[in-house]
Amino acid sequence: MLPGVSLEHELVRRALDGDGRAFATLVEPHLGVLYRIAHRACGNRSLAEDAVQDALALTYERLGRYQPGTSFRAFLAAHAVKKAQTLLRGERRRRTREDASDAPQSVPGPQDLARAAEAARRVQAALATLPEKRRAVAMLRLDAGLSYAEIAEAVGTTEGSARVLVHMALKELRAQLADLTREEETSEP
C-alpha cells in the first residue's frame, strides 16, 4: 500500500480495477447497517434484502463516483435508502393494481375441469380424423390465429384455397363436436 493511502482507498482502487474480493472486503463491514437502513426505509424484510442487493450492485456500478476522503458508509447508505424507497414504491403500485383488478368470477370446480379435459380430448380426436392438410389449416387458423394469406404461405397453397380448406375443416369439426356445443349452450345460465 502507498504511504498516506488508507486501506479503504486502496480497496476502492482495487475494486475499480475489477478485484471482486476487494469490493467484498470493502462492503462487508457495512452490510448490517445497510440492511437496517433499508428495512427502516421500506418496512419490509424481503424488500430490504432486495434493496441491499440492488444497492451493492449500484455501488459497484458507481464506484468511480466515490470521492476519496468522504464517508464510504454514507456512499453505500445513500444507495440502500434509494433502492429501498424505489422497491417500496413499486410494491405499492403492484398492490394498487392487484386491489383494483377484478377477482375471478368463479374458480372452476372438479366437474368443470373434467368437462374441459374431456372437451380437449374430443377436439384432439376430431382433429385427428381430418385429412392432413385440413387439420394443418384448422390449427393454423384456430390455434395460431394466422390470416388466410399466412396459412396459404405456410402450407404452400393459394389464399383462396386456404379459405376453402379452413371452411371445410371447421364445418367437419362443428359436425363432429355438435353435442359439445349443445351442452355448452344448455349449461349457461
Side-chain angles (χ1 to χ4, degrees):
M1 188 163 45
L2 299 172
V5 177
S6 74
L7 176 61
E8 185 174 87
H9 296 135
E10 176 63 18
L11 290 171
V12 168
R13 186 194 62 71
R14 288 180 26 213
L16 284 169
D17 288 339
D19 184 343
R21 287 181 192 239
F23 183 73
T25 302
L26 187 62
V27 299
E28 189 173 5
H30 306 291
L31 292 177
V33 170
L34 291 180
Y35 176 78
R36 285 191 302 276
I37 290 169
H39 190 268
R40 174 103 44 219
C42 67
N44 179 297
R45 182 185 202 157
S46 81
L47 284 180
E49 291 169 359
D50 291 346
V52 169
Q53 290 296 319
D54 291 352
L56 292 173
L58 184 62
T59 299
Y60 186 77
E61 195 177 290
R62 296 184 178 173
L63 196 54
R65 297 181 189 177
Y66 170 66
Q67 298 296 314
T70 62
S71 169
F72 187 73
R73 180 181 288 223
F75 183 71
L76 274 170
H79 292 133
V81 169
K82 182 178 184 176
K83 285 299 181 178
Q85 290 171 337
T86 300
L87 290 172
L88 181 60
R89 278 193 306 274
E91 181 66 15
R92 285 180 182 151
R93 284 192 300 271
R94 183 191 62 76
R95 270 195 231 125
T96 300
R97 282 192 307 273
E98 282 181 2
D99 292 346
S101 67
D102 294 332
Q105 295 294 340
S106 65
V107 177
Q111 288 179 332
D112 298 324
L113 295 173
R115 274 197 297 271
E118 175 61 18
R121 188 195 62 72
R122 291 271 317 276
V123 169
Q124 185 69 31
L127 279 167
T129 66
L130 297 177
E132 186 177 334
K133 205 167 198 177
R134 284 189 201 164
R135 180 175 50 248
V137 298
M139 289 188 296
L140 291 172
R141 183 68 176 173
L142 297 173
D143 292 332
L146 297 183
S147 69
Y148 293 113
E150 292 168 320
I151 292 170
E153 186 179 326
V155 297
T157 190
T158 66
E159 187 175 338
S161 180
R163 286 179 185 275
V164 170
L165 286 167
V166 168
H167 173 75
M168 291 170 55
L170 294 180
K171 186 176 178 181
E172 284 183 51
L173 289 173
R174 267 190 227 102
Q176 289 187 50
L177 302 170
D179 60 315
L180 283 179
T181 57
R182 279 192 299 275
E183 284 176 20
E184 183 73 22
E185 290 169 359
T186 58
S187 69
E188 290 181 8

